[in-house]
Amino acid sequence: MSDMITNPVLPGFHPDPSICRVGEDYYLACSSFEYFPGVPIFHSTDLLTWTQIGNVLDRPSQLRLAGAASSGGIYAPTLRYHGGRFHLIVTNASSGQGNLLVTATDPAGPWSEPVMLPGVPGIDPDLAWDEDGTCWCTVAGVSQIRLDTTTGETLGEPVRTWSGTPGAKAPEAPHLYRIGEYWYLLIAEGGTERGHGVSIARGPSPTGPFEACPANPILTHRSTDDPVQNTGHADLVQAADGAWWMVLLGVRPGGGTPGWHVLGRETFLAPVSWVDGWPVVGEFTSGPAVAPAPVRDDFDDRELAPQWLSVRQRLDEDWTTGERPGWLTLRARGASLDEPDVVFLGRRQQHPSCRIRTLADAGDGDGVGGVGGLAVRLDERHHYEIEASAGQVRVLARIGPLRTVVAAEAVAGGPVVLGIDAVAHTEIQDPRTGPDTIVFGIEGPDGDFTVLAELEGRYLSTEVAGGFTGRVIGVYAASGVVRFDYFDYFD
Ligand code: 6LW
């Protein structure tokens, strides 16, 4: 099946995948950092097509992101099914929450209130149970501690286990499995950048002693010209038919040199075979790029679909689809896109090229005039936007400390169709060519598109902005009330 995999199976900012199977059903969860709700969770029956069924941390009592910087917050979950319940352990790297554990009988939710784990050190916690029912929690570094999953109490002190290839940096993302006669400890090493890789060791018990696989790293794309780079942070799953698979993160850098990735770290699927008791990762990067499926959100439902993300919090007073039925109403809190508290609702950019349209009403007709529009956000210091206010549309750019108005155009009052096109560069004629161009404009009633500005995409890439996330595209209100009739994402 490997030549049929259309990778990435979860395009866009979906890093640190963790997977488990129950019968014929697979579930997968990812990191979410400063975005609320946290930890998107997906379902599949074929490992190729994934549907988001919810978000694990979807209420403030589970997820505190106050004060979380961009690329802070929620790191690297592990999802497991044990004793009739789904367990998800994860780190909140900000707000003092630390490691926490939630459980559910239905992975679509509701998930429990968090059990706090003050005795679990570090990041990237894993869960594994031995034959006696003892739960072993392994964390980056790599060390291990026994855990009572009901109370959150740890038993004993953390013990260093196997820490990967001597000299390799950042041994992290550990997952411990009982497979056949061995316990296997899978880790990522080399850092989550171009040097990333996956290594494994095995031993007779959950605590080792562990012997490194002679073929380590069992997966890396470092110093290759593979279009998928930074491959690492993996998890293993056995399919119902007995075959083995790995989910992992990778990026697709675009442009010339050194390459810029703009969609964040994405989830890939790779086939795994076993030779002499060691896993061997097969080819997985073939396959055509996935074209964006047309998606319109009409904002007809009271609730927002699970893919919508807010920055750090989603207050009831910030948004409603009830005030003007069929429209999303956003009410600014006085914070602009330059601040971490902006009223913004976005979805991941999942395709190198895509088109976004929204009908925005900045409301000069009904006395609630506002300022807001459509934004591409990497973080609060790196974003471009096209925004409407009474009688005017402007394009703005924020790149690090620089903030500028790129274009301004007078428009008639009333709703206006704002558009953003991301156009990936496929021909690289110059080593300095960036990954894409982002085009901003207004669409007229007959579908004609008036371009107001074209901006370089590299400044909204992870290589420029830093951190762990990817682009999120969405609507925002910077002042007053702004309403949106629909949000289209298509090719
Ligand atoms: C995560 C670490 C990593 O905790 O990046 O790629 C960190 N791997 O394991 C943030 O996603």
Side-chain angles (χ1 to χ4, degrees):
M1 166 171 131
S2 55
D3 52 343
M4 289 157 47
I5 306 174
T6 305
N7 263 314
V9 288
L10 275 178
F13 150 50
H14 292 109
D16 308 328
S18 181
I19 188 167
C20 72
R21 176 177 68 86
V22 182
E24 303 279 329
D25 297 296
Y26 302 90
Y27 300 95
L28 189 152
C30 296
S31 301
S32 50
F33 301 96
E34 74 269 28
Y35 289 98
F36 183 95
V39 188
I41 184 161
F42 301 84
H43 170 253
S44 176
T45 51
D46 63 6
L47 291 164
L48 297 172
T49 319
W50 293 91
T51 307
Q52 190 172 352
I53 54 173
N55 292 283
V56 172
L57 304 176
D58 64 355
R59 47 188 196 271
S61 60
Q62 295 169 307
L63 176 58
R64 289 204 308 268
L65 292 172
S70 291
S71 288
I74 293 296
Y75 283 29
T78 294
L79 178 64
R80 294 290 181 259
Y81 184 72
H82 177 79
R85 290 187 80 77
F86 292 88
H87 292 66
L88 186 126
I89 188 168
V90 70
T91 309
N92 183 347
S94 310
S95 314
Q97 261 192 323
N99 288 301
L100 58 99
L101 173 72
V102 288
T103 64
T105 49
D106 181 350
W111 286 77
S112 70
E113 287 301 297
V115 175
M116 305 314 296
L117 309 173
V120 173
I123 61 166
D124 298 356
D126 174 67
L127 295 173
W129 287 264
D130 68 16
E131 288 81 356
D132 306 335
T134 301
C135 179
W136 296 93
C137 179
T138 311
V139 294
V142 172
S143 62
Q144 202 175 50
I145 192 159
R146 273 179 300 153
L147 179 66
D148 180 331
T149 55
T150 312
T151 62
E153 275 171 56
T154 44
L155 311 163
E157 292 298 313
V159 174
R160 278 300 272 258
T161 60
W162 178 70
S163 293
T165 309
K169 76 168 183 179
E172 59 191 11
H175 291 302
L176 183 67
Y177 316 89
R178 172 79 204 240
I179 301 171
E181 58 183 303
Y182 291 110
W183 285 83
Y184 288 86
L185 179 56
L186 183 79
I187 68 164
E189 56 182 10
T192 194
E193 305 84 23
R194 296 292 192 268
H196 215 194
V198 178
S199 289
I200 196 163
R202 70 186 182 195
S205 82
T207 53
F210 290 104
E211 148 207 16
C213 174
N216 280 339
I218 58 168
L219 168 66
T220 187
H221 285 178
R222 65 180 72 127
S223 66
T224 68
D225 58 9
D226 197 291
V228 180
Q229 290 290 316
N230 304 24
T231 50
H233 202 120
D235 198 5
L236 290 168
V237 69
Q238 186 174 26
D241 66 2
W244 283 84
W245 296 92
M246 174 182 274
V247 288
L248 62 132
L249 71 75
V251 306
R252 293 181 284 168
T257 187
W260 297 265
H261 73 278
V262 302
L263 302 184
R265 298 172 300 162
E266 310 177 275
T267 289
F268 292 78
L269 177 73
V272 171
S273 55
W274 290 83
V275 177
D276 298 331
W278 293 109
V280 177
V281 184
E283 277 300 310
F284 65 96
T285 59
S286 59
V290 198
V295 182
R296 164 165 288 200
D297 195 323
D298 257 325
F299 302 122
D300 284 340
D301 296 333
R302 279 255 156 203
E303 300 300 323
L304 290 172
Q307 71 268 19
W308 286 103
L309 296 172
S310 298
V311 184
R312 295 172 57 197
Q313 59 181 344
R314 183 177 297 166
L315 303 179
D316 287 346
E317 57 265 35
D318 292 348
W319 72 279
T320 173
T321 53
E323 201 169 290
R324 185 191 288 176
W327 291 65
L328 171 70
T329 297
L330 295 185
R331 194 161 263 112
R333 237 184 291 116
S336 76
L337 277 161
D338 293 327
E339 292 159 62
D341 273 331
V342 62
V343 174
F344 169 84
L345 278 170
R347 51 156 290 162
R348 293 157 177 88
Q349 182 184 340
Q350 295 188 275
H351 304 84
S353 293
C354 61
R355 277 196 305 145
I356 317 293
R357 297 289 181 272
T358 188
L359 178 62
D361 186 355
D364 54 326
D366 59 8
V368 286
V371 180
L374 210 49
V376 188
R377 180 184 196 271
L378 211 294
D379 62 22
E380 64 275 12
R381 288 165 50 83
H382 301 87
H383 50 85
Y384 298 155
E385 57 268 27
I386 179 164
E387 78 181 12
S389 56
Q392 198 184 46
V393 171
R394 303 194 302 169
V395 178
L396 301 101
R398 166 85 194 250
I399 303 168
L402 305 177
R403 181 82 162 111
T404 187
V405 176
V406 178
E409 180 96 351
V411 292
V416 55
V417 178
L418 305 175
I420 296 180
D421 294 355
V423 184
H425 297 155
T426 47
E427 306 260 313
I428 311 301
Q429 277 136 356
D430 182 318
R432 296 164 302 168
T433 304
D436 62 350
T437 298
I438 311 181
V439 183
F440 297 82
I442 312 168
E443 199 172 273
D446 47 4
D448 57 306
F449 192 61
T450 306
V451 174
L452 299 188
E454 297 192 13
L455 299 176
E456 256 268 16
R458 81 179 72 199
Y459 304 110
L460 307 190
S461 71
T462 301
E463 283 77 0
V464 170
F468 296 128
T469 62
R471 284 190 195 154
V472 177
I473 305 186
V475 292
Y476 71 99
S479 136
V481 173
V482 187
R483 304 182 205 276
F484 302 90
D485 186 16
Y486 56 80
F487 184 94
D488 283 337
Y489 177 104
F490 48 12
D491 60 358

